[in-house]
Amino acid sequence: MSKPIIAVYAITKDWQLEEIKATARDYDVRVKDEIRPEDLKNIEIVYGWGSELSENIADLKQLKWIQKDTAGLDAIPESLRKDKDILLSNMSGVHAVPITENIFGYILGVARGIIPAMTSQLESKWDKSIASNMFSLKDKKVLVYGTGSIGQEIARTAKFFEMTTYGVNSNGRSIQTFDHTYTMESSQKILSDMDFVINALPLTDESELFFDKQIFANMNDSAYFLNIGRGESVKDEHLIEELEAGTLAGAYLDVTSPEPLPESSKLWQTQNLVITPHISGNVEHFRDTIYPIFKENLDSYLSNGTLAKNEYNKKKGY
Amino acid sequence: MSKPIIAVYAITKDWQLEEIKATARDYDVRVKDEIRPEDLKNIEIVYGWGSELSENIADLKQLKWIQKDTAGLDAIPESLRKDKDILLSNMSGVHAVPITENIFGYILGVARGIIPAMTSQLESKWDKSIASNMFSLKDKKVLVYGTGSIGQEIARTAKFFEMTTYGVNSNGRSIQTFDHTYTMESSQKILSDMDFVINALPLTDESELFFDKQIFANMNDSAYFLNIGRGESVKDEHLIEELEAGTLAGAYLDVTSPEPLPESSKLWQTQNLVITPHISGNVEHFRDTIYPIFKENLDSYLSNGTLAKNEYNKKKGY
């Protein structure tokens, strides 16, 4: 009988491939180009994914674990995503640090007058009045919707800058790095105290269009809104109204709906709004960043059949 | 004989004044408006400074310590600054955190594509190509000229983001928070390895026009230059040449020469250059920030005649 196959579709470095082979001696480790149609039935583990796998699901009779090489799992057919007998893991955590760096690039940019000064600079203007709205982050309050890996990294960084951290999750359970936690509903009552409100939620029925007039109206005029979750969670017209009326100090959107944002969108020229083109999760050395996660899960899988981290929650859908 | 006077010219809160009085029971504590000409001869300690003191130096016969309420000591006459019998201290440390926040607002702004995206946004352009120059701070190299309170705070923050920190001081001595330290001269040989080069030096003969063609040419094309020291340390024409030629990735100036920077300056419209109007040291709650430093020094002065911190080095000139 043939050895079970580990199919490597994710981009990997040579030393990484050698290490996988040395770790999984009872397996046949094959990269994408070495996998023939007759091998599909022997695949037990997939690192990454390929469209030829989606097209031949029926052949994947031995498949037990897919370690996707991205945060999103959209590329994997729904029947496999929902199959209780297949372990599924993603790379969601690897984006936590880069996304947090974007968050703080914006937060420090507005708090320390850099983003306002870039506007004065267009007019060659030395505008000292910018200083009157400047502040340090110490003791400022940040509320993060979503207390997963991204929310936790945002909170950890906020604590470095001595901010007070508030988190929102489904049942308001405590999460380390957050000083206080709330449910979606109970978070409403603290909105007016917040200096920064950040959406880091995945798109679900509950988060769709959640950030609307009611939320923005509850926020302080001097507060900032940031979205690195999904564009579909924000009611754009309401955000534009608040920013143009000056009842929100500013906003940062790394995600929009739709993407790419069309040139005709009013968002582009809305005052005190900064838009980046869904790039905050960008990781420079992607292969070096994702491989350790696969390796840790591989070690765990080989020793006891479970995954050490990043397992997809089939019930919650993220 | 009259009690010696503590003259309070710095802005203070009522509770702070009460605490000073309770601490220094053998002294007469007077705020600015309570000091008459005949009191000058009894002043032993000054917190802050006033022009009427500068105008009557000859009367200050009992003066033993000036705790200035700013980082700069320019307001104090040179004869007093150089007087060996007068202790002198400043507030330099209080600007370390806010200045560092500006430094990282810019560093994260360029590293994470926010500052480039603000340019695309002016043209309503969703420009994903920005991502190709994005990076995380982990393992990036930052070189700080000046390892005093500001340099150390920059390095401490850089270490939080897992950067490698290089510092420059007069004799290359080790400083905690810096992984490596160099002299002005020996720093030249590592310039080409650096991702960020920051000037945090006070203005001295050595630092005047130190950042010129030679420094910029040694730096990598993908590197960034930041100046939060003094404008006089940078040869502007050389910086403009490098930025326009694309042989420096970008620069951030919070200080210029002269200030305010005139509308006619070429710096304003130089590509990949961000200017803020000398605001990075801005502290929001200034009285609460500076008072603990005076109080700590007052306790030390009253118990043994020395200062606990922020003593001005008369020889070095900062």
Side-chain angles (χ1 to χ4, degrees):
Chain A
M1 200 184 133
S2 307
K3 278 185 180 180
I5 291 176
I6 298 180
V8 177
Y9 285 81
I11 48 169
T12 51
K13 292 183 169 178
D14 288 345
W15 72 263
Q16 293 168 345
L17 207 58
E18 291 311 312
E19 193 175 75
I20 295 168
K21 288 176 181 170
T23 304
R25 294 196 178 279
D26 297 337
Y27 289 76
D28 194 357
V29 180
R30 305 265 188 100
V31 298
K32 189 179 171 179
D33 297 340
E34 299 165 348
I35 299 167
R36 299 155 302 177
E38 62 266 35
D39 296 324
L40 297 179
K41 65 179 186 300
N42 294 319
I43 293 177
E44 180 176 321
I45 299 171
V46 180
Y47 175 32
W49 193 250
S51 55
E52 57 271 47
L53 300 177
S54 295
E55 290 154 13
N56 297 286
I57 298 178
D59 293 338
L60 301 170
K61 295 184 194 302
Q62 300 296 323
L63 184 61
K64 292 195 183 138
W65 168 35
I66 304 167
Q67 170 66 62
K68 191 71 177 64
D69 54 348
T70 58
L73 295 173
D74 322 14
I76 297 170
E78 198 174 353
S79 63
L80 291 178
R81 284 209 304 267
K82 296 200 166 165
D83 189 329
K84 282 181 202 158
D85 296 327
I86 297 176
L87 287 169
L88 201 52
S89 52
N90 62 18
M91 290 294 171
S92 66
V94 306
H95 303 288
V97 167
I99 288 175
T100 297
E101 290 180 336
N102 276 70
I103 292 286
F104 281 85
Y106 176 78
I107 286 181
L108 291 167
V110 288
R112 305 305 305 160
I114 298 170
I115 287 173
M118 286 179 68
T119 304
S120 319
Q121 189 176 342
L122 293 172
E123 300 165 12
S124 303
K125 194 171 159 200
W126 183 270
D127 182 9
K128 273 271 191 188
S129 75
I130 290 167
S132 61
N133 289 317
M134 282 174 71
F135 53 90
S136 277
L137 301 192
K138 185 172 182 338
D139 298 332
K140 291 291 181 286
K141 295 171 178 169
V142 59
L143 172 63
V144 187
Y145 284 85
T147 59
S149 60
I150 295 170
Q152 286 177 42
E153 182 62 19
I154 292 170
R156 189 180 75 89
T157 306
K159 293 311 291 179
F160 174 81
F161 287 108
E162 301 187 45
M163 302 176 85
T164 310
T165 54
Y166 300 75
V168 175
N169 54 42
S170 53
N171 55 5
R173 69 192 176 280
S174 292
I175 301 280
Q176 53 154 195
T177 75
F178 283 99
D179 296 317
H180 310 279
T181 43
Y182 298 84
T183 61
M184 295 283 266
E185 202 185 317
S186 67
S187 70
Q188 302 270 352
K189 67 175 189 284
I190 56 158
L191 274 172
S192 62
D193 277 338
M194 297 297 121
D195 299 293
F196 297 94
V197 173
I198 302 173
N199 176 38
L201 292 171
L203 186 63
T204 61
D205 289 348
E206 211 183 357
S207 70
E208 189 168 3
L209 298 179
F210 179 77
F211 297 92
D212 61 5
K213 198 162 200 68
Q214 193 192 335
I215 298 275
F216 299 134
N218 277 340
M219 287 172 63
N220 201 300
D221 292 0
S222 61
Y224 296 85
F225 173 71
L226 296 85
N227 189 13
I228 50 84
R230 285 300 195 93
E232 288 81 358
S233 291
V234 177
K235 195 95 171 145
D236 290 345
E237 314 87 270
H238 295 173
L239 179 63
I240 292 170
E241 274 170 34
E242 293 279 334
L243 288 168
E244 291 292 350
T247 51
L248 263 189
Y252 169 46
L253 305 178
D254 182 55
V255 288
T256 61
S257 173
E259 292 180 3
L261 188 67
E263 206 180 317
S264 59
S265 169
K266 281 187 186 166
L267 286 169
W268 288 117
Q269 307 305 329
T270 298
Q271 71 172 5
N272 299 323
L273 175 62
V274 172
I275 299 169
T276 52
H278 203 153
I279 56 177
S280 68
N282 191 271
V283 177
E284 194 185 8
H285 299 292
F286 197 63
R287 288 179 293 185
D288 292 330
T289 308
I290 63 174
Y291 175 70
I293 292 171
F294 171 61
K295 180 61 166 57
E296 192 177 338
N297 276 341
L298 180 63
D299 289 341
S300 170
Y301 178 88
L302 295 178
S303 86
N304 60 34
T306 68
L307 303 181
K309 53 166 60 172
N310 283 41
E311 190 168 347
Y312 174 76
N313 186 324
K314 290 184 174 122
K315 203 167 155 197
K316 288 191 184 165
Y318 58 87
Chain B
M1 200 185 132
S2 309
K3 276 186 180 177
I5 291 175
I6 297 180
V8 177
Y9 285 80
I11 48 167
T12 52
K13 292 184 168 177
D14 288 345
W15 71 264
Q16 293 168 346
L17 207 59
E18 292 311 312
E19 192 174 76
I20 296 168
K21 286 176 184 172
T23 304
R25 296 195 176 278
D26 298 336
Y27 289 76
D28 194 356
V29 180
R30 305 266 189 99
V31 297
K32 189 179 171 180
D33 297 339
E34 299 165 348
I35 299 168
R36 299 154 303 177
E38 61 267 36
D39 296 325
L40 296 179
K41 66 180 184 302
N42 295 319
I43 293 177
E44 181 177 319
I45 298 170
V46 180
Y47 176 32
W49 192 249
S51 55
E52 57 270 48
L53 300 177
S54 295
E55 289 154 12
N56 297 286
I57 298 177
D59 293 337
L60 302 169
K61 293 184 195 305
Q62 300 297 323
L63 184 62
K64 291 196 182 137
W65 168 35
I66 304 166
Q67 170 66 62
K68 191 70 178 65
D69 54 347
T70 58
L73 294 172
D74 321 13
I76 297 170
E78 196 174 355
S79 62
L80 292 178
R81 283 209 305 267
K82 295 199 165 164
D83 189 329
K84 281 181 203 161
D85 296 327
I86 297 176
L87 288 169
L88 200 54
S89 51
N90 62 18
M91 290 295 172
S92 66
V94 305
H95 302 288
V97 167
I99 288 175
T100 296
E101 289 180 337
N102 276 70
I103 290 285
F104 281 85
Y106 176 78
I107 287 180
L108 290 167
V110 289
R112 304 305 304 160
I114 298 170
I115 287 173
M118 286 178 69
T119 305
S120 318
Q121 190 175 342
L122 293 173
E123 299 165 13
S124 303
K125 195 173 160 200
W126 183 270
D127 182 9
K128 273 270 191 189
S129 75
I130 289 167
S132 61
N133 289 318
M134 281 174 72
F135 53 91
S136 277
L137 301 192
K138 186 174 184 335
D139 298 331
K140 291 291 181 285
K141 295 171 179 171
V142 58
L143 173 62
V144 188
Y145 284 86
T147 59
S149 60
I150 296 168
Q152 286 176 42
E153 182 63 19
I154 293 170
R156 188 179 75 90
T157 306
K159 294 310 292 179
F160 174 80
F161 286 108
E162 301 188 45
M163 302 176 84
T164 310
T165 53
Y166 299 76
V168 175
N169 54 41
S170 53
N171 56 6
R173 68 192 176 283
S174 292
I175 302 280
Q176 51 154 198
T177 74
F178 283 99
D179 296 316
H180 309 279
T181 43
Y182 297 85
T183 61
M184 295 283 266
E185 203 185 317
S186 68
S187 70
Q188 302 271 351
K189 66 175 190 285
I190 56 156
L191 275 172
S192 61
D193 277 338
M194 296 298 121
D195 298 294
F196 296 95
V197 174
I198 302 173
N199 176 38
L201 292 171
L203 186 63
T204 61
D205 289 348
E206 209 183 359
S207 69
E208 190 169 3
L209 297 180
F210 179 76
F211 297 92
D212 62 4
K213 198 163 198 67
Q214 194 191 335
I215 298 275
F216 299 134
N218 276 340
M219 287 171 64
N220 201 299
D221 292 0
S222 61
Y224 296 84
F225 174 72
L226 297 85
N227 189 13
I228 50 85
R230 286 299 195 92
E232 289 80 358
S233 291
V234 176
K235 195 93 172 148
D236 288 345
E237 314 87 270
H238 295 173
L239 179 63
I240 292 170
E241 274 170 33
E242 294 280 333
L243 288 168
E244 291 292 350
T247 51
L248 264 188
Y252 170 45
L253 305 179
D254 182 56
V255 288
T256 60
S257 172
E259 292 179 3
L261 189 67
E263 207 180 316
S264 59
S265 169
K266 281 186 186 166
L267 286 170
W268 289 117
Q269 307 305 329
T270 298
Q271 70 173 5
N272 300 322
L273 175 62
V274 172
I275 299 170
T276 51
H278 201 153
I279 55 176
S280 68
N282 191 271
V283 177
E284 195 184 7
H285 300 292
F286 197 63
R287 289 179 292 185
D288 292 330
T289 308
I290 63 174
Y291 175 71
I293 292 171
F294 171 61
K295 181 59 167 56
E296 191 176 340
N297 276 341
L298 180 63
D299 289 342
S300 170
Y301 178 88
L302 295 178
S303 85
N304 60 33
T306 67
L307 302 181
K309 54 166 58 170
N310 282 42
E311 189 169 349
Y312 174 75
N313 184 325
K314 290 182 174 121
K315 203 168 156 196
K316 289 190 183 166
Y318 58 86

